[in-house]
């Protein structure tokens, strides 16, 4: 099969023929339909996770995976309800199943776990082996470029906004800001509308085209932050929303500037959640945080339940993806575009882009009858 693999840090992926993985009895072989390209793939290549991940090269990146069940291991139980030809997505936190976090359902937080594409071979390949517990069967109506990004870009901000909801800072007469309007941000504005209980949603970014897309996805207002001071932004917020401060912030970027701006605009008793990881540390003034009783949350990827909820929203047509197909051969070019921030929406690698049938078509070609 074809795979795009990392043979070391800070070098292009090598597109090569490798052996199709052999599955263990509790695994399923998935024929990759689409693999979303994430900014964290660029960070992986650049060595951002070097100290957190002990990688043995070569590795196959690609952690947003949707595809078709190709073969099923002999110990996969009937109750998994998986059949050959089913469209599936891969839930990404593969924990040990025994620690406190795993038992609480948060396998993405497991200290002994892994994430496909960050060690275990990921979706930048025609096939991937997946433990059956981490597959979720999906509606064949959605396209690969809609399905694959849901497993990270689509679900990570969902978990973040659930934390803001739980913090009690959303509701009518509240303002929630989404920082960033790329892969994660374009989903975050949709969840801010869906889970915000009437809160006004303002998206902050520096790219007009991305801001326009966020407006299409339901943001009430868009603010271009380029070249603006905190006072400029307060004035613009006042003009648009009637308020100078934000009750809630989801930061899908995680750059020094977005953290400073987000905390700088936060209202008393406001809450800020970080999901983006562009920078490496946060520095925020201490007195406003203490005296204003700010809440700060880290939110990491998402668990199986979060993904099931997001898939339900997608399958009911309540959220929309702006994925675009990328040819496997063009994978390195698109990593460069991601590095430069030039991708609008989400790029999704497909194999043989012209022939890559969407799940429904593929199933009928295989003679698989929909349930
Ligand atoms: Zn665990």
């Amino acid at each position: 099969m074809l795979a795009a693999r990392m043979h070391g840090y800070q070098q292009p992926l090598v597109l090569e023929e490798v052996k199709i993985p052999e599955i263990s009895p509790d695994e399923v072989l998935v024929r990759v339909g689409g693999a979303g390209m994430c900014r964290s793939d660029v960070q992986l290549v650049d060595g951002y996770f070097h100290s957190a991940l002990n990688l043995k090269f070569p590795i196959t990146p690609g952690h947003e995976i949707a595809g078709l069940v190709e073969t099923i291991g002999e110990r996969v139980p009937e109750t998994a309800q998986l059949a050959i030809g089913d469209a599936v997505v891969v839930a990404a936190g593969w924990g040990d199943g025994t620690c406190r976090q795993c038992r609480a359902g948060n396998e993405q937080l497991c200290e002994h776990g892994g994430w496909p594409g960050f060690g275990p071979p990921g979706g930048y390949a025609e096939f991937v082996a997946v433990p059956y517990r981490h597959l979720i069967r999906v509606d064949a109506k959605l396209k690969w470029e809609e399905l694959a990004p849901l497993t990270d870009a689509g679900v990570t901000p969902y978990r973040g906004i659930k934390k803001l909801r739980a913090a009690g800072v959303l509701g009518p007469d509240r303002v929630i800001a989404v920082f960033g309007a790329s892969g994660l941000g374009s989903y975050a504005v949709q969840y801010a509308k869906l889970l915000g209980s009437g809160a006004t949603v303002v998206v902050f970014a520096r790219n007009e085209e991305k801001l326009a897309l966020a407006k299409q996805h339901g943001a009430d207002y868009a603010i271009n932050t380029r070249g603006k001071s905190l006072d400029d932004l307060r004035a613009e917020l006042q003009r648009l929303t009637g308020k100078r401060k934000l009750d809630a912030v989801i930061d899908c970027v995680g750059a020094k500037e977005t953290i400073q701006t987000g905390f700088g605009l936060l209202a008393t008793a406001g809450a800020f959640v970080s999901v983006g990881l562009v920078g490496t540390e946060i520095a925020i003034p201490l007195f406003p945080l203490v005296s204003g009783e700010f809440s700060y949350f880290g939110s990491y990827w998402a668990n199986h339940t979060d993904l099931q909820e997001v898939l339900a929203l997608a399958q009911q047509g309540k959220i929309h993806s702006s994925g675009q197909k990328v040819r496997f051969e063009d994978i390195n070019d698109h990593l460069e575009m991601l590095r430069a921030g030039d991708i609008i929406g989400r790029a999704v690698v497909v194999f043989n882009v012209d022939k890559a049938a969407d799940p429904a078509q593929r199933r009928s070609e295989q003679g698989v009858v929909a349930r």
Side-chain angles (χ1 to χ4, degrees):
M1 67 172 184
L2 282 169
R5 301 198 299 175
M6 261 179 91
H7 285 259
Y9 289 116
Q10 292 168 358
Q11 44 189 276
L13 302 182
V14 179
L15 278 52
E16 55 195 334
E17 276 295 330
V18 300
K19 279 177 64 184
I20 292 175
E22 285 178 20
I23 55 169
S24 62
D26 65 350
E27 286 182 329
V28 169
L29 188 67
V30 173
R31 177 186 288 270
V32 177
M37 298 189 68
C38 182
R39 199 174 182 289
S40 55
D41 294 326
V42 176
Q43 292 176 293
L44 176 69
V45 169
D46 289 350
Y48 181 93
F49 306 111
H50 180 265
S51 57
L53 299 171
N54 187 17
L55 295 181
K56 292 194 176 54
F57 296 114
I59 71 143
T60 308
H63 55 272
E64 293 186 342
I65 309 167
L68 295 171
V69 171
E70 180 81 7
T71 54
I72 300 175
E74 60 205 25
R75 287 220 303 269
V76 175
E78 288 279 316
T79 51
Q81 292 194 302
L82 293 168
I84 289 168
D86 278 352
V88 288
V89 297
V90 180
W94 297 1
D96 59 13
T98 57
C99 74
R100 180 190 294 251
Q101 294 305 328
C102 284
R103 291 192 190 279
N106 291 316
E107 291 204 30
Q108 84 282 12
L109 304 183
C110 181
E111 289 182 17
H112 315 113
W115 308 271
F118 294 97
Y124 289 180
E126 288 180 278
F127 294 94
V128 61
V130 182
Y132 78 89
R133 289 193 306 116
H134 304 302
L135 290 172
I136 302 178
R137 195 154 53 85
V138 294
D139 193 331
K141 281 191 310 229
L142 294 167
K143 297 180 169 135
W144 297 128
E145 64 270 30
E146 294 169 322
L147 280 168
L150 295 175
T151 61
D152 179 15
V155 76
T156 297
Y158 182 76
R159 183 175 177 85
I161 287 190
K162 279 169 82 176
K163 286 178 190 276
L164 294 175
R165 184 176 65 174
V169 292
L170 302 179
D173 199 34
R174 301 282 197 147
V175 181
I176 175 171
V178 173
F179 279 78
S182 296
L184 277 70
S186 59
Y187 288 100
V189 295
Q190 301 181 66
Y191 304 132
K193 290 304 284 186
L194 283 165
L195 307 185
S197 307
T200 300
V201 178
V202 186
V203 58
F204 290 72
R206 296 190 300 183
N207 176 311
E208 284 297 334
E209 206 178 336
K210 292 179 184 177
L211 286 166
L213 183 65
K215 288 283 298 275
Q216 278 176 34
H217 281 311
D220 296 303
Y221 302 107
I223 294 182
N224 192 327
T225 56
R226 194 175 285 278
K228 289 178 189 158
S229 69
L230 272 181
D231 276 337
D232 295 339
L233 294 172
R234 285 189 194 106
E236 195 161 347
L237 263 179
Q238 171 78 45
R239 183 171 61 76
L240 294 172
T241 69
K243 291 173 186 294
R244 291 171 66 80
K245 293 188 174 176
L246 303 168
D247 297 289
V249 173
I250 179 164
D251 184 3
C252 299
V253 182
K256 190 177 164 194
E257 298 76 23
T258 55
I259 292 164
Q260 287 180 346
T261 304
F263 275 100
L265 296 176
L266 207 57
T268 299
F272 186 116
V273 63
S274 281
V275 294
L277 285 173
V278 165
T280 52
E281 59 187 20
I282 64 162
I284 49 177
L286 183 58
F287 186 69
L289 178 125
V290 173
S291 64
E293 294 204 340
F294 296 163
S295 298
Y296 179 60
F297 301 96
S299 186
Y300 185 60
W301 216 319
N303 67 23
H304 201 97
T305 302
D306 297 324
L307 182 54
Q308 280 180 318
E309 290 172 4
V310 159
L311 288 165
L313 289 172
Q315 290 172 136
Q316 293 162 16
K318 291 175 181 163
I319 54 167
H320 300 282
S321 297
S322 29
Q324 48 178 307
K325 287 177 179 171
V326 169
R327 288 167 190 273
F328 175 74
E329 307 85 74
D330 298 335
I331 210 164
N332 281 309
D333 292 343
H334 274 77
L335 284 175
E336 282 311 311
M337 288 172 70
L338 270 173
R339 179 177 278 113
D342 288 343
I343 299 215
I344 309 295
R346 199 63 159 182
V348 178
V349 178
V350 292
F351 289 86
N352 300 316
V353 71
D354 302 319
K355 293 183 218 146
D358 289 313
Q361 193 179 342
R362 203 53 179 270
R363 282 163 65 96
S364 64
E365 279 168 13
Q366 288 182 334
V368 177
V369 180
R371 285 167 219 251

